[in-house]
Amino acid sequence: MTLQIHSSWEKPLQTEFESFYFRELTTFLTMEYQNHSCYPAENFIFNAFEHCHYHQVKIVLLGQDPYHGAGQAHGLSFSVPDGIKHPPSLVNVFKEVEHDLGIPYPTSGNLERWAKQGVLLLNASLSVREGEAGSHQKKGWETLTDAVIQKLSENKEGLVFLLWGGFAKQKAKFIDPKKHLILTARHPSPLSANRGYWFGNKHFSQCNRYLKTNGKTPIDW
């Protein structure tokens, strides 16, 4: 597997890429992609870092692992390429944006437009085997992505971390709440969202108010 990541991330993550666990992860992924259908395509694995450069990060939106159906995953959490049917979780995300900010429900589920404004759409695991949710967990991805969260917390100020669902909320331990805003809610998947605090969380307007307070340009959601 070839490491394709924007140059702005190379120095902050250099020690991770040179580590033993990352070499083991690379070996595992090479075998997985050779012997199974895996998502996203290899050249999209680090897409979140390609579209949101290190110096641009304003918001970190954490997912668990990529969509495991054909054509859905392209390296950005919750996002799908243009022309792909919106998964249920993404539908609920867009409904909350509409409710919170009055922005009409979009045609495309491609969130590259968010990433390019400074939203790091980061999954905890950056790959998955087709039809097997969580199949690439505990292989090293979480060590890398936990390090990303921690380094952003340590080296930057005034970021927003969106932690939706129990899995994402566990990552709060890597974030300094004195330096950053942490917003939590239920996961937007229908089973979780319909049980309580998802709809009406107003995270998108809260993000923008916080960014403005810290002298940053708000996100055009």
Side-chain angles (χ1 to χ4, degrees):
M1 187 191 76
T2 303
L3 176 61
Q4 295 177 302
I5 192 166
H6 189 266
S7 58
S8 65
W9 290 94
E10 290 175 358
K11 186 175 180 180
L13 297 179
Q14 183 178 359
T15 55
E16 307 303 317
F17 297 145
E18 293 175 350
S19 68
F20 177 73
Y21 86 80
F22 192 79
R23 291 196 298 273
E24 284 199 320
L25 173 62
T26 300
T27 300
F28 166 77
L29 292 173
T30 298
M31 296 300 295
E32 281 288 291
Y33 275 80
Q34 285 177 354
N35 297 310
H36 304 278
S37 294
C38 297
Y39 304 121
E42 286 188 61
N43 58 314
F44 286 149
I45 289 176
F46 290 97
N47 220 15
F49 303 92
E50 284 292 328
H51 290 292
C52 183
H53 303 168
Y54 178 76
H55 59 277
Q56 295 176 323
V57 179
K58 300 176 182 176
I59 295 170
V60 180
L61 173 50
L62 188 69
Q64 189 159 354
D65 62 355
Y67 298 122
H68 52 81
Q72 293 181 306
H74 66 142
L76 306 175
S77 63
F78 292 97
S79 178
V80 292
D82 295 327
I84 299 298
K85 181 181 178 181
H86 301 177
S89 293
L90 183 58
V91 170
N92 284 339
V93 169
F94 285 150
K95 285 181 177 179
E96 178 57 27
V97 172
E98 186 173 29
H99 177 267
D100 186 8
L101 299 173
I103 297 173
Y105 190 101
T107 301
S108 174
N110 191 334
L111 302 182
E112 287 180 11
R113 63 188 185 276
W114 292 5
K116 291 176 179 177
Q117 297 178 74
V119 183
L120 182 63
L121 297 162
L122 182 68
N123 280 315
S125 295
L126 301 188
S127 61
V128 69
R129 192 184 291 184
E130 182 178 25
E132 298 183 37
S135 51
H136 287 184
Q137 291 178 8
K138 299 181 180 178
K139 301 296 183 181
W141 276 134
E142 294 90 345
T143 305
L144 174 65
T145 53
D146 286 351
V148 171
I149 295 167
Q150 191 161 11
K151 289 174 189 291
L152 288 171
S153 175
E154 291 173 352
N155 299 327
K156 293 179 177 289
E157 293 186 5
L159 301 184
V160 183
F161 290 84
L162 295 174
L163 308 181
W164 298 339
F167 178 86
K169 290 175 186 177
Q170 295 174 21
K171 306 299 182 178
K173 61 180 176 286
F174 301 113
I175 305 164
D176 185 349
K178 296 178 182 178
K179 295 171 61 181
H180 309 284
L181 176 64
I182 302 172
L183 296 176
T184 63
R186 284 189 175 272
H187 194 276
S189 63
L191 182 63
S192 178
N194 293 330
R195 287 178 178 171
Y197 187 62
W198 166 255
F199 294 110
N201 64 56
K202 297 188 181 297
H203 279 186
F204 303 98
S205 58
Q206 288 186 66
C207 281
N208 281 352
R209 281 197 300 272
Y210 184 79
L211 292 176
K212 287 180 181 179
T213 299
N214 285 275
K216 300 177 182 180
T217 304
I219 304 298
D220 181 6
W221 299 104

